[in-house]
Amino acid sequence: MLPRGLLAAFLLLLLPAPAHPAPLDRPEPKKDDMPSSPPETPDTGLYYHRYLQEVIQVLETDGHFREKLQAANAEDIKSGKLSRELDFVSHHIRTKLDELKRQEVSRLRMLLKAKMDAAQEPEVQVDHLSLLKQFEHLDPQNQHTFEARDLELLIQTATRDLAQYDAAHHEEFKRYEMLKEHERRRYLDSLGEEQRLAEERRLEEQKQRHRQHPRLNVPGSQAQLKEVWEETDGLDPTEFNPKTFFRLHDTNSDGVLDEQELEALFTKELEKVYDPKNEDDDMREMEEERLRMREHVMKTVDTNQDRLVTLEEFLLATQRKEFEEAALKGWETLEEHPAYTEEELRRFEAELAAREAELAAQAQRLSQESKALDHSQGLLEVQKKELQLSFTWSRGSNNPPQTHQLQALMDSSFSSPMQRQEPKQSQPW
């Protein structure tokens, strides 16, 4: 059975972010002080996050759907079984959902138009129906009403996209690390031999200092949880109780440990390696380490792979022999697991070189176009002044403009100093 609000927890799986466990001695909230509505869900990073969030909020106001949600499990949600209950929600809820879908379709159309305009193709006839098919979180065939198929697509797409988030985060971190190494090598190459050797020694000493840290416990192991129990919760390690530990760190009391609640457990381990006050410590590396720790715990504890740890799953994990034996191994950090290989770095640098060459060619092309425009502007200015001189002559002078006067006007019309000549002194005509 899913607690109320778990559809939001299941779909809006929180992205990894720095989190901190709540203090142990927090007071129990009074009934009058309880919030009337759940706190705002952090942004998932999905381009349709707002639409997803608003659909969930509307659905949870319907009594029938809320009842079915409470009786559903994760598989009912993922398989689309829950989506069929949409046919039984009240009329005014369906009306709100219809309006949300129309707004989302309108937003997507605006995005498509902006994309077409940016590509400088304003005259191209846009087939919105065909283009909307690239958005998989709604049914493009029906752009006016929200049906069971829309809810099913929304759930399936959000589940898939959020499941791929960790892989995308790892890839982004890999590129970040490769760019750092590329810039480091390029900087060293720019130095003289003596300076380069001194800088290499400094960087190696910095790396050695970073490696001098206490051994890290394996995330989710008995040693790691007991350390949190003692140092964060302030409790006697000899009285460690897994059930009590779970309830202490289920900070929102929804019966499960979500990703943020799990990641909060790793703060003490990460502090052994990373110090936010030390400019030599890379905080992006720390968050990548936190993500690796969370993935390890999920892999070993989350048996149904719904990205949530129940009390039953947690207690079962503490009964395995690996729970105690993991203390003998210790956790291997990113230092032992480089994010990239030399071959990947070479390919990355080749991509960078190709991109830099493309940008240089584009800059040269724009420079030439700018010069051509300046030249055209100069010619237009000459023609304008020629007309002005001719008009003045026709109004009251018997002498037409002299050649050297026209040349002086041409020289003064070009913006480039190389194209401009000082006009010769001459008598007014």
Side-chain angles (χ1 to χ4, degrees), residues 8 25 32 40-41 54 62-63 82 119 157 183 209 271 296 316 328 409:
D25 55 349
D32 295 340
E40 183 179 351
T41 307
E54 290 176 342
D62 182 81
L82 187 68
T157 306
E183 291 178 344
R209 285 195 302 271
E271 287 176 349
H296 172 79
L316 184 63
L328 303 175
L409 289 172

Side-chain angles (χ1 to χ4, degrees), residues 333-349:
T333 64
L334 284 167
E335 295 159 354
E336 289 86 18
H337 294 272
Y340 58 87
T341 65
E342 278 296 318
E343 178 60 30
E344 288 175 322
L345 180 59
R346 281 194 293 270
R347 289 200 299 267
F348 176 76
E349 289 181 325

Side-chain angles (χ1 to χ4, degrees), residues 10 28 38 53 63 87 178 195 215 250 309 312 331 334 403 411 413:
F10 183 78
E28 289 294 326
Q53 187 179 48
D87 295 333
M178 288 191 293
Q195 287 180 307
R215 190 183 71 160
D250 176 19
V309 176
E312 181 182 358
W331 176 251
L334 284 167
T403 302
D411 291 340
S413 298

Side-chain angles (χ1 to χ4, degrees), residues 249-265:
H249 295 278
D250 176 19
T251 54
N252 60 359
S253 302
D254 63 353
V256 295
L257 296 180
D258 59 34
E259 295 181 350
Q260 279 195 317
E261 289 168 332
L262 279 176
E263 290 182 358
L265 301 178

Side-chain angles (χ1 to χ4, degrees), residues 15-180:
L15 299 186
H20 304 280
L24 178 64
D25 55 349
R26 56 185 183 275
E28 289 294 326
K30 298 178 181 179
K31 187 171 291 186
D32 295 340
D33 296 335
M34 293 294 285
S36 57
S37 59
E40 183 179 351
T41 307
D43 197 326
T44 61
L46 300 175
Y47 67 88
Y48 50 91
H49 167 82
R50 182 174 177 179
Y51 174 64
L52 173 65
Q53 187 179 48
E54 290 176 342
V55 167
I56 291 170
Q57 290 172 349
V58 169
L59 284 172
E60 288 190 327
T61 62
D62 182 81
H64 172 82
F65 193 88
R66 185 168 61 249
E67 180 182 340
K68 292 297 181 180
L69 172 61
Q70 290 173 336
N73 56 36
E75 188 57 35
D76 291 336
I77 296 175
K78 288 193 287 186
S79 67
K81 180 179 178 181
L82 187 68
S83 303
R84 293 190 285 273
E85 298 299 329
L86 188 69
D87 295 333
F88 303 100
V89 303
S90 61
H91 176 71
H92 78 279
I93 294 294
R94 293 297 295 269
T95 302
K96 289 181 180 179
L97 293 172
D98 292 346
E99 180 59 27
L100 286 177
K101 182 175 180 180
R102 285 193 289 269
Q103 290 175 2
E104 178 68 358
V105 170
S106 177
R107 184 183 74 88
L108 295 177
R109 283 176 172 166
M110 290 178 63
L111 287 175
L112 291 170
K113 184 179 184 303
K115 185 177 179 180
M116 298 292 289
D117 290 346
Q120 297 181 347
E121 299 178 5
E123 304 300 325
V124 176
Q125 185 67 30
V126 178
D127 183 354
H128 283 104
L129 179 58
S130 297
L131 291 173
L132 283 172
K133 289 180 180 178
Q134 65 184 290
F135 302 110
E136 300 177 349
H137 62 288
L138 48 70
D139 181 6
Q141 301 294 338
N142 173 13
Q143 301 179 23
H144 303 288
T145 59
F146 189 98
E147 306 295 339
R149 178 61 176 161
D150 289 292
L151 182 57
E152 183 179 357
L153 287 172
L154 185 58
I155 291 173
Q156 290 175 352
T157 306
T159 303
R160 181 201 64 205
D161 290 348
L162 289 168
Q164 294 173 350
Y165 170 79
D166 289 348
H169 186 279
H170 288 314
E171 184 62 28
E172 181 183 348
F173 177 74
K174 178 192 292 187
R175 295 183 69 84
Y176 166 74
E177 287 288 288
M178 288 191 293
L179 182 59
K180 271 199 331 185

